[in-house]
Amino acid sequence: MRYVSTRGGGKPRSFTDILLEGLAPDGGLYLPEEYPQLDKRTLSDFSKLLSQEGYAALAAKVLALYIDDMDELTLARLCEGAYGGGKFSAADIVPATQIGQQMWLGHLSYGPTAAFKDMAMQLLGELFEEVLSQRGQVLNILGATSGDTGSSAEYAMANRRGIKVFMLTPRGRMSPFQQAQMFSLTDPNIFNIAIAGVFDDCQDIVKAISADLEFKRAHHIGAVNSINWARLLAQVVYYIGLYLQVSEKTGAEKVSFCVPTGNFGNVCAGHIARQMGLPIDRLIVATNENNVLEEFFTTGRYRVRSAQQTLATSSPSMDISKASNFERFIFDLLGRDGARCRELFANQLRNSGYFELPEAVFAKISDFGFQSGSSTHANRLEQIRLLDREGIEIDPHTADGVQVAKTQGADLTSPIVVLETALPVKFSQTIREATGHGPKVPGRFADIEKGPRRVVDLENDPEVVKDYLREFGL
């Protein structure tokens, strides 16, 4: 299996070669040359594997479809390291529970930081340490977070050999719990950096530094944001796992997924699973008031908004107007034409801040199963309140998903799985506003907001961040 850039540059490369890089040298994102295909027999084998040996065994088999420069025994060991050992509080890792007549909740938040990002980050930590050890290399991970990616990455990489983590956060834009999770870490290889601005500013700095190939190579810069292919690959596994569970419980041949998303990473993994032949009916993109993606899927116009136009909402991890993984879907939509993809993202989007698909191309979106909708603060409160009355707690982002699933899935006959994004404890203020009481606090998070803080404020400038990396990086 070899990987190519969405912008058509360079030669195809192996999985371990692209693992440590993030962006391709031409500024594009990596995708496999082709998607392995799943047939009924393979899905039946996967179902038996999941029920008999568990999630880690399923993950190893799925990864083996994409990784041919690691042997299967190594992959099995790494997946067991990621998902075993009591790291996840649910024995089956990603259980599914029914919350409506045809609606299910896919639980993805039972990892160390109570966010779905743990599903990929725990595996990424294992993969990074393995490959760095084999190659005798070191890595300075540079990332940006709107809330959950940062803590998941830091908990997955803390105290790993040959790795330092430098995580950019939008100053004052995360919930108190999210800040506490990150800033209270005292591991010597973890560095938290608060940038004046919004998540997109942090993301732009990461991209600017990654685009400086000389600096990137000289200072061993790597990425854990969802631009990293391994992140998406790890997420494909839970689509397969949840499909198998819900299909078996309902007898449905096809299952739909409603995915709260701002950066298009979570739902992009669903797109990949569907391209592999997983029987996904619809992929419903759920946004909050920052509805750039909804605008695209309803009009064909992708319009990036400025920091000033990006609203601060009660589902802050989705307060994003530049969807980093979106280019991967457009690449497939354009028939994998790297030159056209480069023209849209490297030229039109950069120069004018938007692009609009020709009508004939826009018409093809339905072939990929996508539809979308948006949610508001009032919608979030209502969905949190309604499910709380039934003894079910959800966080604000998952509430966006429930809202959009109800509005967009009314005409569907397939079961709809809403992907949970985080445990409600991360957003106690909104939960209290909706229900009149605070969320349940797992014992491991008691008093987390009372701990010390370790964070440095830096200017919104890639050169300033580069200087910091020069001083403290490996």
Side-chain angles (χ1 to χ4, degrees), residues 140-143 150 154 163-169 182-183 185-194 454-456 468-469 471-474:
N140 291 308
I141 293 171
L142 177 64
E154 291 179 353
I163 296 175
K164 285 190 175 182
V165 179
F166 298 84
M167 192 60 61
L168 309 185
T169 64
M182 294 179 62
F183 300 165
L185 287 175
T186 58
D187 304 86
N189 69 325
I190 303 298
F191 298 82
N192 287 300
I193 302 169
R454 185 166 165 260
V455 59
V456 61
Y468 192 80
L469 288 166
E471 182 175 359
F472 295 103
L474 292 167

PDB file of all heavy atoms in Angstrom, residues 140-143 150 154 163-169 182-183 185-194 454-456 468-469 471-474:
ATOM      1  N   ASN A 140       9.393  16.241  17.307  1.00  0.00           N
ATOM      2  CA  ASN A 140       8.726  17.353  17.980  1.00  0.00           C
ATOM      3  C   ASN A 140       7.336  17.476  17.375  1.00  0.00           C
ATOM      4  O   ASN A 140       7.190  17.905  16.223  1.00  0.00           O
ATOM      5  CB  ASN A 140       9.499  18.655  17.786  1.00  0.00           C
ATOM      6  CG  ASN A 140      10.822  18.655  18.513  1.00  0.00           C
ATOM      7  OD1 ASN A 140      10.887  18.376  19.701  1.00  0.00           O
ATOM      8  ND2 ASN A 140      11.905  18.957  17.792  1.00  0.00           N
ATOM      9  N   ILE A 141       6.330  17.070  18.121  1.00  0.00           N
ATOM     10  CA  ILE A 141       4.960  17.127  17.625  1.00  0.00           C
ATOM     11  C   ILE A 141       4.425  18.536  17.809  1.00  0.00           C
ATOM     12  O   ILE A 141       4.408  19.074  18.916  1.00  0.00           O
ATOM     13  CB  ILE A 141       4.070  16.124  18.373  1.00  0.00           C
ATOM     14  CG1 ILE A 141       4.493  14.690  18.037  1.00  0.00           C
ATOM     15  CG2 ILE A 141       2.603  16.339  18.032  1.00  0.00           C
ATOM     16  CD1 ILE A 141       3.813  13.641  18.880  1.00  0.00           C
ATOM     17  N   LEU A 142       3.983  19.125  16.708  1.00  0.00           N
ATOM     18  CA  LEU A 142       3.377  20.454  16.740  1.00  0.00           C
ATOM     19  C   LEU A 142       1.919  20.315  16.353  1.00  0.00           C
ATOM     20  O   LEU A 142       1.599  19.797  15.276  1.00  0.00           O
ATOM     21  CB  LEU A 142       4.096  21.392  15.772  1.00  0.00           C
ATOM     22  CG  LEU A 142       3.521  22.802  15.644  1.00  0.00           C
ATOM     23  CD1 LEU A 142       3.636  23.556  16.965  1.00  0.00           C
ATOM     24  CD2 LEU A 142       4.232  23.575  14.532  1.00  0.00           C
ATOM     25  N   GLY A 143       1.035  20.734  17.236  1.00  0.00           N
ATOM     26  CA  GLY A 143      -0.391  20.592  16.968  1.00  0.00           C
ATOM     27  C   GLY A 143      -1.181  21.817  17.370  1.00  0.00           C
ATOM     28  O   GLY A 143      -0.671  22.729  18.039  1.00  0.00           O
ATOM     29  N   GLY A 150      -5.880  18.380  21.847  1.00  0.00           N
ATOM     30  CA  GLY A 150      -4.683  18.671  22.626  1.00  0.00           C
ATOM     31  C   GLY A 150      -4.512  17.770  23.823  1.00  0.00           C
ATOM     32  O   GLY A 150      -3.449  17.173  24.024  1.00  0.00           O
ATOM     33  N   GLU A 154      -1.671  14.884  24.329  1.00  0.00           N
ATOM     34  CA  GLU A 154      -0.718  15.000  25.426  1.00  0.00           C
ATOM     35  C   GLU A 154      -0.766  13.781  26.347  1.00  0.00           C
ATOM     36  O   GLU A 154       0.278  13.278  26.791  1.00  0.00           O
ATOM     37  CB  GLU A 154      -0.978  16.295  26.187  1.00  0.00           C
ATOM     38  CG  GLU A 154      -0.619  17.522  25.361  1.00  0.00           C
ATOM     39  CD  GLU A 154      -0.873  18.829  26.068  1.00  0.00           C
ATOM     40  OE1 GLU A 154      -1.463  18.828  27.171  1.00  0.00           O
ATOM     41  OE2 GLU A 154      -0.494  19.874  25.516  1.00  0.00           O
ATOM     42  N   ILE A 163      10.018  11.896  22.077  1.00  0.00           N
ATOM     43  CA  ILE A 163       8.891  12.727  21.640  1.00  0.00           C
ATOM     44  C   ILE A 163       8.710  13.912  22.577  1.00  0.00           C
ATOM     45  O   ILE A 163       8.752  13.759  23.804  1.00  0.00           O
ATOM     46  CB  ILE A 163       7.582  11.903  21.611  1.00  0.00           C
ATOM     47  CG1 ILE A 163       7.665  10.779  20.576  1.00  0.00           C
ATOM     48  CG2 ILE A 163       6.378  12.801  21.318  1.00  0.00           C
ATOM     49  CD1 ILE A 163       6.461   9.856  20.586  1.00  0.00           C
ATOM     50  N   LYS A 164       8.528  15.089  21.984  1.00  0.00           N
ATOM     51  CA  LYS A 164       8.027  16.252  22.716  1.00  0.00           C
ATOM     52  C   LYS A 164       6.781  16.765  22.004  1.00  0.00           C
ATOM     53  O   LYS A 164       6.667  16.660  20.785  1.00  0.00           O
ATOM     54  CB  LYS A 164       9.087  17.352  22.794  1.00  0.00           C
ATOM     55  CG  LYS A 164      10.217  17.072  23.785  1.00  0.00           C
ATOM     56  CD  LYS A 164      11.105  18.291  23.994  1.00  0.00           C
ATOM     57  CE  LYS A 164      12.159  18.027  25.075  1.00  0.00           C
ATOM     58  NZ  LYS A 164      13.007  19.228  25.319  1.00  0.00           N
ATOM     59  N   VAL A 165       5.865  17.313  22.795  1.00  0.00           N
ATOM     60  CA  VAL A 165       4.599  17.807  22.249  1.00  0.00           C
ATOM     61  C   VAL A 165       4.485  19.305  22.500  1.00  0.00           C
ATOM     62  O   VAL A 165       4.612  19.756  23.652  1.00  0.00           O
ATOM     63  CB  VAL A 165       3.389  17.085  22.888  1.00  0.00           C
ATOM     64  CG1 VAL A 165       2.082  17.643  22.328  1.00  0.00           C
ATOM     65  CG2 VAL A 165       3.481  15.583  22.659  1.00  0.00           C
ATOM     66  N   PHE A 166       4.235  20.067  21.441  1.00  0.00           N
ATOM     67  CA  PHE A 166       4.008  21.507  21.522  1.00  0.00           C
ATOM     68  C   PHE A 166       2.606  21.764  20.986  1.00  0.00           C
ATOM     69  O   PHE A 166       2.347  21.630  19.790  1.00  0.00           O
ATOM     70  CB  PHE A 166       5.050  22.269  20.697  1.00  0.00           C
ATOM     71  CG  PHE A 166       6.460  22.064  21.182  1.00  0.00           C
ATOM     72  CD1 PHE A 166       7.199  20.947  20.788  1.00  0.00           C
ATOM     73  CD2 PHE A 166       7.048  22.973  22.046  1.00  0.00           C
ATOM     74  CE1 PHE A 166       8.486  20.746  21.244  1.00  0.00           C
ATOM     75  CE2 PHE A 166       8.340  22.785  22.510  1.00  0.00           C
ATOM     76  CZ  PHE A 166       9.063  21.665  22.108  1.00  0.00           C
ATOM     77  N   MET A 167       1.679  22.097  21.892  1.00  0.00           N
ATOM     78  CA  MET A 167       0.277  22.200  21.509  1.00  0.00           C
ATOM     79  C   MET A 167      -0.207  23.648  21.598  1.00  0.00           C
ATOM     80  O   MET A 167      -0.135  24.285  22.654  1.00  0.00           O
ATOM     81  CB  MET A 167      -0.584  21.312  22.418  1.00  0.00           C
ATOM     82  CG  MET A 167      -2.004  21.134  21.919  1.00  0.00           C
ATOM     83  SD  MET A 167      -2.150  20.381  20.265  1.00  0.00           S
ATOM     84  CE  MET A 167      -1.376  18.776  20.533  1.00  0.00           C
ATOM     85  N   LEU A 168      -0.698  24.166  20.466  1.00  0.00           N
ATOM     86  CA  LEU A 168      -1.221  25.530  20.401  1.00  0.00           C
ATOM     87  C   LEU A 168      -2.712  25.519  20.722  1.00  0.00           C
ATOM     88  O   LEU A 168      -3.468  24.697  20.196  1.00  0.00           O
ATOM     89  CB  LEU A 168      -1.013  26.118  19.008  1.00  0.00           C
ATOM     90  CG  LEU A 168       0.395  26.047  18.414  1.00  0.00           C
ATOM     91  CD1 LEU A 168       0.435  26.794  17.077  1.00  0.00           C
ATOM     92  CD2 LEU A 168       1.426  26.627  19.368  1.00  0.00           C
ATOM     93  N   THR A 169      -3.132  26.451  21.577  1.00  0.00           N
ATOM     94  CA  THR A 169      -4.540  26.570  21.949  1.00  0.00           C
ATOM     95  C   THR A 169      -5.007  28.013  21.749  1.00  0.00           C
ATOM     96  O   THR A 169      -4.214  28.950  21.890  1.00  0.00           O
ATOM     97  CB  THR A 169      -4.769  26.188  23.424  1.00  0.00           C
ATOM     98  OG1 THR A 169      -4.081  27.123  24.264  1.00  0.00           O
ATOM     99  CG2 THR A 169      -4.241  24.800  23.722  1.00  0.00           C
ATOM    100  N   MET A 182      -5.299  19.989  30.050  1.00  0.00           N
ATOM    101  CA  MET A 182      -4.024  20.186  29.368  1.00  0.00           C
ATOM    102  C   MET A 182      -3.006  20.888  30.255  1.00  0.00           C
ATOM    103  O   MET A 182      -1.868  20.436  30.416  1.00  0.00           O
ATOM    104  CB  MET A 182      -4.235  21.007  28.088  1.00  0.00           C
ATOM    105  CG  MET A 182      -5.041  20.306  27.024  1.00  0.00           C
ATOM    106  SD  MET A 182      -5.260  21.338  25.568  1.00  0.00           S
ATOM    107  CE  MET A 182      -3.568  21.564  25.048  1.00  0.00           C
ATOM    108  N   PHE A 183      -3.403  21.985  30.831  1.00  0.00           N
ATOM    109  CA  PHE A 183      -2.432  22.862  31.504  1.00  0.00           C
ATOM    110  C   PHE A 183      -1.950  22.297  32.833  1.00  0.00           C
ATOM    111  O   PHE A 183      -0.944  22.756  33.376  1.00  0.00           O
ATOM    112  CB  PHE A 183      -3.033  24.251  31.714  1.00  0.00           C
ATOM    113  CG  PHE A 183      -3.445  24.947  30.430  1.00  0.00           C
ATOM    114  CD1 PHE A 183      -4.281  26.053  30.464  1.00  0.00           C
ATOM    115  CD2 PHE A 183      -2.997  24.503  29.203  1.00  0.00           C
ATOM    116  CE1 PHE A 183      -4.663  26.703  29.298  1.00  0.00           C
ATOM    117  CE2 PHE A 183      -3.377  25.140  28.023  1.00  0.00           C
ATOM    118  CZ  PHE A 183      -4.214  26.232  28.075  1.00  0.00           C
ATOM    119  N   LEU A 185      -0.915  19.223  33.229  1.00  0.00           N
ATOM    120  CA  LEU A 185       0.099  18.195  33.000  1.00  0.00           C
ATOM    121  C   LEU A 185       1.494  18.739  33.301  1.00  0.00           C
ATOM    122  O   LEU A 185       1.857  19.829  32.859  1.00  0.00           O
ATOM    123  CB  LEU A 185       0.038  17.702  31.550  1.00  0.00           C
ATOM    124  CG  LEU A 185      -1.147  16.802  31.186  1.00  0.00           C
ATOM    125  CD1 LEU A 185      -1.136  16.493  29.696  1.00  0.00           C
ATOM    126  CD2 LEU A 185      -1.108  15.512  31.986  1.00  0.00           C
ATOM    127  N   THR A 186       2.272  17.967  34.016  1.00  0.00           N
ATOM    128  CA  THR A 186       3.619  18.410  34.390  1.00  0.00           C
ATOM    129  C   THR A 186       4.710  17.559  33.745  1.00  0.00           C
ATOM    130  O   THR A 186       5.885  17.726  34.068  1.00  0.00           O
ATOM    131  CB  THR A 186       3.793  18.350  35.925  1.00  0.00           C
ATOM    132  OG1 THR A 186       3.549  17.009  36.370  1.00  0.00           O
ATOM    133  CG2 THR A 186       2.832  19.308  36.615  1.00  0.00           C
ATOM    134  N   ASP A 187       4.338  16.668  32.842  1.00  0.00           N
ATOM    135  CA  ASP A 187       5.328  15.829  32.178  1.00  0.00           C
ATOM    136  C   ASP A 187       6.319  16.720  31.424  1.00  0.00           C
ATOM    137  O   ASP A 187       5.912  17.652  30.711  1.00  0.00           O
ATOM    138  CB  ASP A 187       4.639  14.880  31.203  1.00  0.00           C
ATOM    139  CG  ASP A 187       3.578  14.034  31.891  1.00  0.00           C
ATOM    140  OD1 ASP A 187       2.428  14.527  32.000  1.00  0.00           O
ATOM    141  OD2 ASP A 187       3.901  12.942  32.345  1.00  0.00           O
ATOM    142  N   PRO A 188       7.602  16.449  31.539  1.00  0.00           N
ATOM    143  CA  PRO A 188       8.609  17.352  30.979  1.00  0.00           C
ATOM    144  C   PRO A 188       8.618  17.433  29.463  1.00  0.00           C
ATOM    145  O   PRO A 188       9.218  18.363  28.902  1.00  0.00           O
ATOM    146  CB  PRO A 188       9.934  16.768  31.502  1.00  0.00           C
ATOM    147  CG  PRO A 188       9.634  15.339  31.819  1.00  0.00           C
ATOM    148  CD  PRO A 188       8.214  15.323  32.278  1.00  0.00           C
ATOM    149  N   ASN A 189       7.957  16.492  28.778  1.00  0.00           N
ATOM    150  CA  ASN A 189       7.955  16.545  27.305  1.00  0.00           C
ATOM    151  C   ASN A 189       6.702  17.213  26.745  1.00  0.00           C
ATOM    152  O   ASN A 189       6.465  17.182  25.542  1.00  0.00           O
ATOM    153  CB  ASN A 189       8.101  15.134  26.714  1.00  0.00           C
ATOM    154  CG  ASN A 189       6.873  14.257  26.945  1.00  0.00           C
ATOM    155  OD1 ASN A 189       6.218  14.358  27.978  1.00  0.00           O
ATOM    156  ND2 ASN A 189       6.570  13.390  25.993  1.00  0.00           N
ATOM    157  N   ILE A 190       5.887  17.826  27.620  1.00  0.00           N
ATOM    158  CA  ILE A 190       4.640  18.468  27.194  1.00  0.00           C
ATOM    159  C   ILE A 190       4.759  19.989  27.340  1.00  0.00           C
ATOM    160  O   ILE A 190       5.117  20.499  28.408  1.00  0.00           O
ATOM    161  CB  ILE A 190       3.442  17.973  28.029  1.00  0.00           C
ATOM    162  CG1 ILE A 190       3.309  16.450  27.926  1.00  0.00           C
ATOM    163  CG2 ILE A 190       2.166  18.679  27.593  1.00  0.00           C
ATOM    164  CD1 ILE A 190       3.041  15.925  26.538  1.00  0.00           C
ATOM    165  N   PHE A 191       4.425  20.721  26.250  1.00  0.00           N
ATOM    166  CA  PHE A 191       4.500  22.185  26.251  1.00  0.00           C
ATOM    167  C   PHE A 191       3.188  22.749  25.711  1.00  0.00           C
ATOM    168  O   PHE A 191       2.816  22.505  24.558  1.00  0.00           O
ATOM    169  CB  PHE A 191       5.670  22.658  25.370  1.00  0.00           C
ATOM    170  CG  PHE A 191       7.018  22.190  25.833  1.00  0.00           C
ATOM    171  CD1 PHE A 191       7.473  20.921  25.518  1.00  0.00           C
ATOM    172  CD2 PHE A 191       7.825  23.014  26.602  1.00  0.00           C
ATOM    173  CE1 PHE A 191       8.710  20.471  25.949  1.00  0.00           C
ATOM    174  CE2 PHE A 191       9.075  22.581  27.040  1.00  0.00           C
ATOM    175  CZ  PHE A 191       9.511  21.306  26.713  1.00  0.00           C
ATOM    176  N   ASN A 192       2.479  23.504  26.561  1.00  0.00           N
ATOM    177  CA  ASN A 192       1.227  24.142  26.165  1.00  0.00           C
ATOM    178  C   ASN A 192       1.480  25.599  25.811  1.00  0.00           C
ATOM    179  O   ASN A 192       2.128  26.331  26.566  1.00  0.00           O
ATOM    180  CB  ASN A 192       0.203  24.056  27.294  1.00  0.00           C
ATOM    181  CG  ASN A 192      -0.344  22.648  27.453  1.00  0.00           C
ATOM    182  OD1 ASN A 192      -0.927  22.108  26.516  1.00  0.00           O
ATOM    183  ND2 ASN A 192      -0.152  22.054  28.613  1.00  0.00           N
ATOM    184  N   ILE A 193       0.947  26.014  24.663  1.00  0.00           N
ATOM    185  CA  ILE A 193       1.178  27.365  24.149  1.00  0.00           C
ATOM    186  C   ILE A 193      -0.175  28.000  23.843  1.00  0.00           C
ATOM    187  O   ILE A 193      -0.933  27.486  23.012  1.00  0.00           O
ATOM    188  CB  ILE A 193       2.037  27.340  22.874  1.00  0.00           C
ATOM    189  CG1 ILE A 193       3.388  26.662  23.157  1.00  0.00           C
ATOM    190  CG2 ILE A 193       2.240  28.735  22.321  1.00  0.00           C
ATOM    191  CD1 ILE A 193       4.191  26.357  21.898  1.00  0.00           C
ATOM    192  N   ALA A 194      -0.496  29.102  24.500  1.00  0.00           N
ATOM    193  CA  ALA A 194      -1.756  29.813  24.269  1.00  0.00           C
ATOM    194  C   ALA A 194      -1.517  30.959  23.287  1.00  0.00           C
ATOM    195  O   ALA A 194      -0.653  31.803  23.495  1.00  0.00           O
ATOM    196  CB  ALA A 194      -2.320  30.336  25.581  1.00  0.00           C
ATOM    197  N   ARG A 454       0.260  25.077  33.724  1.00  0.00           N
ATOM    198  CA  ARG A 454       1.561  25.177  33.077  1.00  0.00           C
ATOM    199  C   ARG A 454       1.335  25.488  31.597  1.00  0.00           C
ATOM    200  O   ARG A 454       1.062  24.613  30.794  1.00  0.00           O
ATOM    201  CB  ARG A 454       2.317  23.856  33.247  1.00  0.00           C
ATOM    202  CG  ARG A 454       3.743  23.849  32.723  1.00  0.00           C
ATOM    203  CD  ARG A 454       4.468  22.617  33.273  1.00  0.00           C
ATOM    204  NE  ARG A 454       5.698  22.349  32.549  1.00  0.00           N
ATOM    205  CZ  ARG A 454       5.824  21.429  31.591  1.00  0.00           C
ATOM    206  NH1 ARG A 454       4.780  20.689  31.253  1.00  0.00           N
ATOM    207  NH2 ARG A 454       6.971  21.248  30.983  1.00  0.00           N
ATOM    208  N   VAL A 455       1.416  26.774  31.251  1.00  0.00           N
ATOM    209  CA  VAL A 455       1.145  27.221  29.893  1.00  0.00           C
ATOM    210  C   VAL A 455       1.899  28.518  29.645  1.00  0.00           C
ATOM    211  O   VAL A 455       2.103  29.320  30.572  1.00  0.00           O
ATOM    212  CB  VAL A 455      -0.379  27.426  29.672  1.00  0.00           C
ATOM    213  CG1 VAL A 455      -0.941  28.460  30.643  1.00  0.00           C
ATOM    214  CG2 VAL A 455      -0.688  27.808  28.231  1.00  0.00           C
ATOM    215  N   VAL A 456       2.323  28.739  28.410  1.00  0.00           N
ATOM    216  CA  VAL A 456       3.010  29.972  28.050  1.00  0.00           C
ATOM    217  C   VAL A 456       2.197  30.703  26.987  1.00  0.00           C
ATOM    218  O   VAL A 456       1.617  30.080  26.099  1.00  0.00           O
ATOM    219  CB  VAL A 456       4.437  29.674  27.531  1.00  0.00           C
ATOM    220  CG1 VAL A 456       4.403  28.798  26.269  1.00  0.00           C
ATOM    221  CG2 VAL A 456       5.201  30.955  27.252  1.00  0.00           C
ATOM    222  N   TYR A 468      10.437  29.398  19.719  1.00  0.00           N
ATOM    223  CA  TYR A 468      10.158  28.580  20.905  1.00  0.00           C
ATOM    224  C   TYR A 468      10.545  27.128  20.657  1.00  0.00           C
ATOM    225  O   TYR A 468      11.131  26.468  21.538  1.00  0.00           O
ATOM    226  CB  TYR A 468       8.667  28.686  21.250  1.00  0.00           C
ATOM    227  CG  TYR A 468       8.305  28.124  22.606  1.00  0.00           C
ATOM    228  CD1 TYR A 468       8.518  28.856  23.757  1.00  0.00           C
ATOM    229  CD2 TYR A 468       7.755  26.855  22.727  1.00  0.00           C
ATOM    230  CE1 TYR A 468       8.178  28.339  25.011  1.00  0.00           C
ATOM    231  CE2 TYR A 468       7.410  26.330  23.961  1.00  0.00           C
ATOM    232  CZ  TYR A 468       7.624  27.078  25.107  1.00  0.00           C
ATOM    233  OH  TYR A 468       7.307  26.564  26.332  1.00  0.00           O
ATOM    234  N   LEU A 469      10.259  26.631  19.463  1.00  0.00           N
ATOM    235  CA  LEU A 469      10.627  25.255  19.108  1.00  0.00           C
ATOM    236  C   LEU A 469      12.147  25.097  19.068  1.00  0.00           C
ATOM    237  O   LEU A 469      12.683  24.074  19.489  1.00  0.00           O
ATOM    238  CB  LEU A 469      10.021  24.893  17.755  1.00  0.00           C
ATOM    239  CG  LEU A 469       8.505  24.674  17.720  1.00  0.00           C
ATOM    240  CD1 LEU A 469       7.991  24.661  16.299  1.00  0.00           C
ATOM    241  CD2 LEU A 469       8.138  23.379  18.419  1.00  0.00           C
ATOM    242  N   GLU A 471      14.244  26.634  20.860  1.00  0.00           N
ATOM    243  CA  GLU A 471      14.770  26.681  22.214  1.00  0.00           C
ATOM    244  C   GLU A 471      14.461  25.398  22.994  1.00  0.00           C
ATOM    245  O   GLU A 471      15.326  24.893  23.735  1.00  0.00           O
ATOM    246  CB  GLU A 471      14.206  27.887  22.969  1.00  0.00           C
ATOM    247  CG  GLU A 471      14.736  28.030  24.379  1.00  0.00           C
ATOM    248  CD  GLU A 471      14.256  29.289  25.084  1.00  0.00           C
ATOM    249  OE1 GLU A 471      13.507  30.079  24.445  1.00  0.00           O
ATOM    250  OE2 GLU A 471      14.606  29.468  26.259  1.00  0.00           O
ATOM    251  N   PHE A 472      13.254  24.851  22.828  1.00  0.00           N
ATOM    252  CA  PHE A 472      12.840  23.761  23.716  1.00  0.00           C
ATOM    253  C   PHE A 472      12.664  22.405  23.007  1.00  0.00           C
ATOM    254  O   PHE A 472      12.460  21.403  23.662  1.00  0.00           O
ATOM    255  CB  PHE A 472      11.527  24.121  24.403  1.00  0.00           C
ATOM    256  CG  PHE A 472      11.643  25.297  25.346  1.00  0.00           C
ATOM    257  CD1 PHE A 472      11.181  26.548  24.968  1.00  0.00           C
ATOM    258  CD2 PHE A 472      12.244  25.126  26.584  1.00  0.00           C
ATOM    259  CE1 PHE A 472      11.296  27.636  25.837  1.00  0.00           C
ATOM    260  CE2 PHE A 472      12.341  26.194  27.455  1.00  0.00           C
ATOM    261  CZ  PHE A 472      11.893  27.457  27.081  1.00  0.00           C
ATOM    262  N   GLY A 473      12.758  22.389  21.677  1.00  0.00           N
ATOM    263  CA  GLY A 473      12.559  21.146  20.953  1.00  0.00           C
ATOM    264  C   GLY A 473      13.732  20.191  21.062  1.00  0.00           C
ATOM    265  O   GLY A 473      14.811  20.545  21.527  1.00  0.00           O
ATOM    266  N   LEU A 474      13.498  18.949  20.615  1.00  0.00           N
ATOM    267  CA  LEU A 474      14.543  17.918  20.609  1.00  0.00           C
ATOM    268  C   LEU A 474      15.565  18.198  19.509  1.00  0.00           C
ATOM    269  O   LEU A 474      15.228  18.738  18.460  1.00  0.00           O
ATOM    270  CB  LEU A 474      13.905  16.541  20.404  1.00  0.00           C
ATOM    271  CG  LEU A 474      13.046  16.032  21.569  1.00  0.00           C
ATOM    272  CD1 LEU A 474      12.219  14.832  21.115  1.00  0.00           C
ATOM    273  CD2 LEU A 474      13.941  15.646  22.737  1.00  0.00           C
TER     274      LEU A 474
END
